[in-house]
Amino acid sequence: MAPSFSIKLRGTEREQLLQIARQSIRNGLYGGDALEVALHELTDALTARLGVFVTLMQQDNLRGCIGSMQSNEPLAQSVAESAHGAAFRDPRFPQLAEHELDQVCIEISILSPMEPLTSPDRSDLLATLRPDVDGLLLQDQHYQSTFLPKVWEQLPDPEEFLNHLLMKAGLPTDHWSTTIQFFRYHTVSFQEGKDLGDRVWVVT
């Protein structure tokens, strides 16, 4: 079972994280580093140490995605670093240009703790996966890759999901070994342009 864990995020806190992400990207456009967040102004929820990914979408197309599975930084600072990385350090894309800033939509995904999966073989792993729910982290010696739960939208079949995760790590689709490890997690995600309201979201 995954470790017991929960964090409550209000609409105002989610909006603050989105503003931090956008300001951090704006800093980078003018030659600066990621935004240094004033931690003394934050609520307890925004200083929690959690894994987080920031995704940039441009007209429904991926424009960058960077994050960390775990972090020793406060959540708000991790968001600032990840947003800056998604805009300027994702090796799949050129650096974000100034004219693109108003064209991108920012999405933040906060990760639950990792749950190790002790699957003895590929078939057992596939039977364990929960489409549309599980994010999956693969590790095998120096190989590593992950898919957030939202990737199920493009790869709804567990077999296809796993094959692409292996390829992302630089491994053949039929790879299996005694050292391979899988961890699942789930996320709470929110994005610009959506009504965040005052409802409290709980990451568990």
Side-chain angles (χ1 to χ4, degrees), residues 35-143:
L35 178 70
E36 289 292 334
V37 181
L39 300 180
H40 66 278
E41 299 177 357
L42 301 178
T43 62
D44 289 345
L46 300 189
T47 59
R49 268 61 174 175
L50 298 169
V52 65
F53 278 74
V54 174
T55 302
L56 306 183
M57 299 296 295
Q58 188 177 47
Q59 298 178 344
D60 296 326
N61 295 313
L62 181 65
R63 184 59 179 84
C65 181
I66 290 288
S68 57
M69 307 305 298
Q70 298 175 322
S71 177
N72 293 321
E73 295 275 3
L75 176 60
Q77 188 60 48
S78 293
V79 165
E81 298 283 351
S82 297
H84 191 276
F88 307 112
R89 297 196 306 276
D90 189 328
R92 298 170 293 179
F93 301 96
Q95 292 189 352
L96 194 75
E98 184 176 356
H99 73 271
E100 293 180 283
L101 181 59
D102 292 336
Q103 301 172 6
V104 295
C105 175
I106 298 172
E107 179 175 275
I108 296 172
S109 298
I110 301 173
L111 279 59
S112 70
M114 301 290 113
E115 176 189 354
L117 298 177
T118 56
S119 300
D121 55 41
R122 181 187 178 98
S123 296
D124 185 80
L125 175 67
L126 291 172
T128 301
L129 293 179
R130 300 171 296 184
D132 300 318
V133 175
D134 290 338
L136 192 63
L137 170 66
L138 176 160
Q139 293 179 335
D140 195 353
Q141 300 182 69
H142 63 279
Y143 296 98

Side-chain angles (χ1 to χ4, degrees), residues 179 193 201:
T179 56
W201 288 11

